Amino acid sequence: MARARNSGGGGSVWGMVILGMLFFVCLVLSITFYVQLQGARELADEADAELNRFATEGLRNDPAVLDLLEARDPVVAQLLDHRTRLRGLIGENVDLDDLDDDEQLENVLDSALHARVTEAVAQHGSLSAAVTALRGDVAAREQRIDALEQERDTARQQLEQAQERLAELQNEYAQTEQQLRSQLEEVTGQFTGHVDATSASESELRELVEQARREQEQRVAELDDQITRLTGERDELRREIRELVRREDRVAPPDVVLPAGRIVSVIDAERRAQIDIGRRDRLVLGMTFEVFDRDEMVRYQPDRALRGKATVEVIGLQDEAAMTRIVRRAPNAELRPDDQVVNLVYDPHATYRFFVYGEFDIDRDGRATEAERQRVKQMIRDWGGEVADELRYDVDFVVLGAAPERPQDLPPGVVDPERIQRAREAQEIFERYQSLEEEALAYGIPVLNQNRFLTLVGHYRR
C-alpha cells in the first residue's frame, strides 16, 4: 500500500515540470512574435510615409494615376517621358523647377501654345490651314507608323522563318554530322582491317618469296652438281670413244668423190644435156648435179667449197637416161659428152647416212630457221640418202648448221626460273654443237657446213 502512494506522487511532479516547460516555450514564442510584429508595423509606417512623398491617398485613386500604374513601363519613367515632352513644348528657356503652382504652369503652357499657333498661322496663312497641315502631318506620320509596324511585323515573320530555317539547318547539320561520323567510323574500321589484312598478306608473300628463293638456290645447286657430273661422264665417254676408234684402227673415208654418171649429149641451143642414168638408177625429178671435166679428180676438201664448171637439174626421166636443164654455167665453160656429173648424196650403188644438226639459212635471207633444217633433211631423203637420228660410227657425213654463239654467264644472285632455264638450254645447245665436231673427228666422219653441203649436191638458188 505504501509503495502505491509513492508511485502516484512522482507522476504528478513530472506533469508539473512538463507544464512549466511548455509555458516557458509559449512565452518565448509570444515575445518573439510581438517583436516581429512591431518591426513590421514600423516598416509599413515608413513605406506609407515614403509613398506619401510621391502621391497622397487622394491622388492614388485619380484615374490618371491609375493609368500610369496600369501601364507597362515604370511610373517614374513615364513621368520623365512626359517631362521631356513638356519641356519640348514650352521651350528650353523655361525651367520647370521655377514654377510654383499649376497656375504658373498653365500660363506657361498657354504662352507656348499661343506661340506655336501664331507660328503655324504665319506659316500656312490661316489657322484652319495650319490645322489641316498638322492633320496631314499626323496622318502621314500614322501611315509611316503603320508602314513601319508592317515592316516590323514582316521582319519579325522573316526572323521567325529564319529562326525556323536555322533550326532545320542545325537539325540537318546534326543528322549529317552524325551520319558522316558513322561513315567515318565504318571506313576507319574497314581501313584498319584492310591494313591488318595487307600486312598479314605481305608477311605471307615475303615468306613465300623467301621460301621460293631458297628452293631455287637449292635447285640451282643441284643442277650445278648434275652439270658437273654429266660433264665428267661426257668427257669419260669421249675418252672411251677415242680409245675404241684407236683400237679398231678405223681408216678415214677416201676424199675422192666418184661421179654419179656422165653426159651423153649437149643441146646448147636449148640449154639441155642428157645423162646416162635414169629411173632404174633411183634418179628423181629435180635432183641436181655438179658437172666436172671427164678427167678431173673431184676431191672432198673440208676447208673450201667445191664447185664444178656447171650445174644441171633433172627435168625428164627414162629408164636408163635422163634429160637435164643447165641452170648454171661458169664463164667460157663448155659442156662436152663424157663429162662427169657429181652429187654427194646420190650414189646409184650405195646409200649414204647423214646426221643433220643446227639451223640453216638456205634462202640466204639472214634468218636461220628450223623449217630450213627440215628442208635439208628432206633434200637428203629425196635424193636417196638417209638421215640418222643420232651420231653413230655408221654415219657417213655430219652436216652442221650455223654455229651458235657462246652464251654469257648469268650474273650472281639471279633466281628467276625461266631465265635460268633459257640460259641452261643455250649452254646445252652450244656444248652439243662443240661436242658433235669432236665426236665426228673421233669417228673419222667428214663434217660439212651448209655451204659445202649445198655445193656438193648441186643446190642452186631458184
Side-chain angles (χ1 to χ4, degrees):
M1 298 296 289
R3 186 176 300 172
R5 284 196 301 269
N6 289 336
S7 177
S12 300
V13 172
W14 282 107
M16 293 298 293
V17 171
I18 293 172
L19 289 175
M21 291 177 66
L22 292 174
F23 176 76
F24 179 75
V25 171
C26 291
L27 179 62
V28 172
L29 292 175
S30 299
I31 293 172
T32 302
F33 178 73
Y34 179 76
V35 171
Q36 292 178 354
L37 181 61
Q38 286 297 114
R41 286 179 178 176
E42 290 176 0
L43 291 175
D45 293 339
E46 291 177 0
D48 290 337
E50 186 68 21
L51 183 59
N52 288 329
R53 291 178 56 193
F54 293 97
T56 60
E57 185 176 357
L59 291 175
R60 295 174 196 170
N61 297 323
D62 188 88
V65 176
L66 293 177
D67 292 337
L68 291 175
L69 293 174
E70 292 177 357
R72 180 174 57 185
D73 297 329
V75 175
V76 176
Q78 297 181 59
L79 293 176
L80 291 175
D81 183 56
H82 291 325
R83 177 185 176 89
T84 301
R85 293 181 182 179
L86 183 60
R87 183 179 294 279
L89 181 63
I90 65 177
E92 297 293 335
N93 296 325
V94 179
D95 190 359
L96 295 177
D97 296 335
D98 296 338
L99 301 178
D100 296 332
D101 51 18
D102 293 340
E103 183 177 357
Q104 293 180 356
L105 179 59
E106 291 178 359
N107 292 332
V108 171
L109 291 174
D110 290 340
S111 298
L113 181 60
H114 183 270
R116 291 290 182 89
V117 171
T118 302
E119 182 181 358
V121 170
Q123 183 178 359
H124 296 285
S126 64
L127 182 59
S128 60
V131 171
T132 302
L134 291 174
R135 287 178 178 175
D137 291 341
V138 171
R141 291 177 182 272
E142 290 178 352
Q143 291 179 357
R144 178 60 178 165
I145 290 171
D146 293 338
L148 291 175
E149 288 180 350
Q150 292 179 359
E151 292 179 0
R152 180 196 62 189
D153 295 338
T154 303
R156 285 179 179 176
Q157 292 177 359
Q158 293 177 353
L159 177 61
E160 292 176 356
Q161 293 176 357
Q163 291 176 347
E164 292 177 356
R165 180 58 181 166
L166 177 61
E168 293 177 358
L169 292 176
Q170 289 177 346
N171 187 22
E172 293 178 359
Y173 173 77
Q175 294 178 356
T176 304
E177 182 182 10
Q178 183 63 29
Q179 293 177 357
L180 291 177
R181 287 183 182 276
S182 300
Q183 294 178 0
L184 178 61
E185 292 176 357
E186 182 179 358
V187 171
T188 303
Q190 294 177 355
F191 176 75
T192 304
H194 178 70
V195 169
D196 296 338
T198 302
S199 300
S201 300
E202 183 179 3
S203 301
E204 294 178 359
L205 289 175
R206 288 183 182 276
E207 293 178 359
L208 292 175
V209 170
E210 183 64 22
Q211 181 180 358
R213 186 184 65 80
R214 292 194 297 268
E215 292 177 354
Q216 290 298 328
E217 290 178 351
Q218 182 179 0
R219 179 60 177 166
V220 169
E222 294 176 355
L223 292 175
D224 289 339
D225 294 339
Q226 292 181 8
I227 291 174
T228 302
R229 178 174 55 82
L230 293 175
T231 302
E233 295 177 357
R234 181 199 64 185
D235 295 339
E236 183 65 24
L237 289 174
R238 287 178 178 175
R239 285 193 295 270
E240 293 179 1
I241 291 173
R242 293 191 186 98
E243 183 66 19
L244 290 173
V245 172
R246 185 183 64 80
R247 291 177 181 177
E248 292 177 2
D249 294 328
R250 290 194 47 147
V251 179
D255 59 354
V256 176
V257 182
L258 297 177
R262 294 184 180 275
I263 293 179
V264 177
S265 62
V266 178
I267 308 174
D268 288 330
E270 300 180 3
R271 296 181 63 85
R272 299 284 189 270
Q274 187 178 16
I275 58 178
D276 60 356
I277 52 178
R279 188 180 296 109
R280 292 180 179 179
D281 300 307
R282 296 182 295 139
L283 205 64
V284 295
L285 293 176
M287 184 176 294
T288 56
F289 295 90
E290 288 294 296
V291 179
F292 296 89
D293 290 337
R294 61 182 178 179
D295 298 328
E296 183 177 356
M297 183 72 70
V298 182
R299 294 180 178 273
Y300 162 69
Q301 298 177 350
D303 57 340
R304 66 183 181 87
L306 180 64
R307 179 68 77 176
K309 63 181 180 181
T311 303
V312 296
E313 178 185 11
V314 177
I315 59 174
L317 285 175
Q318 298 177 4
D319 290 340
E320 297 180 355
M323 182 61 68
T324 65
R325 176 171 61 94
I326 303 173
V327 296
R328 182 193 64 83
R329 182 184 300 190
N332 301 322
E334 182 180 356
L335 274 67
R336 301 181 183 91
D338 208 27
D339 284 343
Q340 54 186 335
V341 292
V342 175
N343 185 306
L344 180 65
V345 176
Y346 172 77
D347 190 316
H349 307 293
T351 300
Y352 294 120
R353 295 176 61 85
F354 292 80
F355 179 75
V356 182
Y357 183 82
E359 295 180 348
F360 296 80
D361 182 16
I362 299 177
D363 297 336
R364 312 287 185 180
D365 58 358
R367 293 184 297 109
T369 64
E370 171 67 18
E372 290 174 289
R373 181 165 71 95
Q374 297 300 326
R375 285 179 59 188
V376 171
K377 291 182 177 182
Q378 191 61 40
M379 188 185 304
I380 294 173
R381 295 189 186 98
D382 291 343
W383 295 348
E386 293 183 359
V387 178
D389 295 332
E390 58 181 349
L391 180 58
R392 299 194 305 267
Y393 69 91
D394 60 346
V395 171
D396 298 299
F397 296 95
V398 174
V399 183
L400 296 179
E405 297 181 358
R406 178 184 294 275
Q408 297 181 354
D409 295 334
L410 290 176
V414 175
V415 296
D416 185 2
E418 295 184 359
R419 190 174 178 184
I420 294 174
Q421 182 65 24
R422 290 195 299 270
R424 195 169 306 283
E425 291 176 354
Q427 183 66 28
E428 291 176 355
I429 293 173
F430 176 78
E431 294 179 355
R432 176 60 174 163
Y433 190 93
Q434 300 298 323
S435 65
L436 284 174
E437 289 184 325
E438 296 178 5
E439 293 178 14
L441 292 176
Y443 282 129
I445 302 173
V447 178
L448 305 176
N449 61 17
Q450 172 182 299
N451 292 334
R452 294 169 188 164
F453 172 79
L454 295 179
T455 299
L456 291 175
V457 298
H459 176 76
Y460 68 96
R461 184 180 300 180
R462 288 173 170 79

